Amino acid sequence: MSSTAVQPPAPRVAFRTNWWSRAAWIALAIYVVYAMSRLEITWDRFVLGLGNGAKFLDRMFPPHIIQPDSLLKGLTESLEIAFLASALGILISLPIGLFAARNLMPVWATWPARAIIALCRTFHPVIVAIVFVKAVGFGAMAGILALVVASIGFIGKLFAEAIEEISLKQVEAVRASGAPFMSVIAFGVMPQVFGRFVGFATYQLDSNLRNSTMVGIVGAGGIGGTLFSAFQRFDYDFVCAILLCIIGMIMAGEILAQWVRKVFLERGKVDEE
Amino acid sequence: MTTATPTTLSIKHLSKSYVAGKPVLKDISLDIADCGITAIIGPSGTGKSTLIRCINRLVEPTSGEIHFEGGNLVALDRSGLRLARRHIGMVFQEYNLVERLTVMENLLTGRLGYVSPFKAWLRKFPEADIARAFELLDAVGLGSFANQRADSLSGGQRQRVGIARALMQEPKLLLADEPTSSLDPKTSVEVMALMRDLCHARGIPVVVNMHDVELAKRFADRIIGMSGGNVVYDGGPAGLTDDVLKSIYGGEDWLQ
């Protein structure tokens, strides 16, 4: 008793030092410096690049549509690629996402479904497009297939996650009425995830629009091919015109996506009133 | 259907353990008569919910038999169970309505066992089902709510929809798992009265779990007291003396 009274109380620590996190920050800083030195990233090169960029920008203006036919064909093809890929991808990812949901499906169903989704997500659409160009030849078909794969990976994963977060109590009630499995899905599961699913689908349409302008670079159809050849011919004013058209198309797609969301999701709000 | 026998439901030697060697239900045997309300009371964690859920196999029994409509529910395969469930309505503590469906759609989920999934998806239910849904909505006092979404309703309204949904099945037996535990006292009495009246008029026997002893006494024709996974009381509400309640819940300080 008396000895503890004599000793001064040990100082109390309000904030404990986290040595692990400190070490991680230091390691990160060291790696950044190392990587920059390896890749010869220097300020001089950046300044030099700015001058080239200015020259490039100067040649881009005023934009000039050199080949209107090629531009129009590319744009409509991109649009077609995006819509077909979205429609097909969404359709295929619905059952795959459902099979991948671990709260509703047995392991023998979730495991292969998850494997498919993981595979679809592994590679960037451009790499997939290269593979499909090799398989089915140059053109829109390869682009569509590549973006279908991307759509399955994205929507399938998010859809499965959305299903895994639903309230099983609502499902249980539908099940207790003796409903067959498909009716349990239609009445117990879909109403709970439909709103989010529309969100994923419109986002994917948006993303497919952007990606459809790019798969053309590797020969998989769409405006990307036109853009790439204009670059190679140093027709920078045509490049600029193409880029402006792409911006217009993406913005139109954004508006369309918003409209779709409104049509499908506002309906519920109206019902409440 | 075996209308000749006076019992609707016959539970024989039912046991359930979620963890091996720790049974929640210990060899329960009960006969549920043709009509009236049977209330199961008992402390929390004594297996009341498990017992109710074993009947329609939302929880799989470990052993025992449950006879209903001349067959053993425990022995049924998946499709047999599905067909049997169509005749067993269920009301849940947290209502378990599908929140984003309308009241009408929720009621019609009670008919899903009779309609093909494709027709159900297209909302092509038989005229008779829709007419009965409107009738039941009127009966539970929600006649004007058919097109409202379930998530816009109050607790009492939701449980009324829950009861109407269960009755849409035209069940031969109604199970209710703590149907009033999420409701205030006044609404609880209203919901119990509604359930009693509607089921009495249709001759549907009700098995209901309850926390509230007074409510059980007021509405039940028969009370089953459970404690530690066993039935310790089985009789009328009048026989539920303080001594009996002590044997069910233990202690006595709360009995003032």
Side-chain angles (χ1 to χ4, degrees), chain A residues 169-170 172-173 177-178 183, chain B residues 53 82 94 96-97 99 109:
Chain A
K169 294 188 169 187
Q170 299 176 30
E172 181 183 55
S177 75
S183 295
Chain B
R53 281 160 184 270
R82 193 172 76 68
E94 289 166 55
N96 294 21
L97 303 182
E99 298 282 316
T109 52

Side-chain angles (χ1 to χ4, degrees), chain B residues 122-176:
Chain B
L122 294 175
R123 306 295 190 263
K124 292 217 181 297
F125 287 88
E127 287 293 322
D129 288 351
I130 292 170
R132 198 167 60 256
F134 276 119
E135 252 169 60
L136 273 168
L137 275 185
D138 287 335
V140 300
L142 294 172
S144 58
F145 287 70
N147 294 312
Q148 281 211 16
R149 255 169 57 162
D151 54 11
S152 68
L153 303 181
S154 70
Q157 289 171 333
R158 285 177 194 213
Q159 198 56 297
R160 286 160 189 268
V161 174
I163 292 169
R165 171 176 67 183
L167 293 179
M168 276 302 286
Q169 290 174 237
E170 298 188 295
K172 302 291 186 291
L173 171 69
L174 185 71
L175 307 173

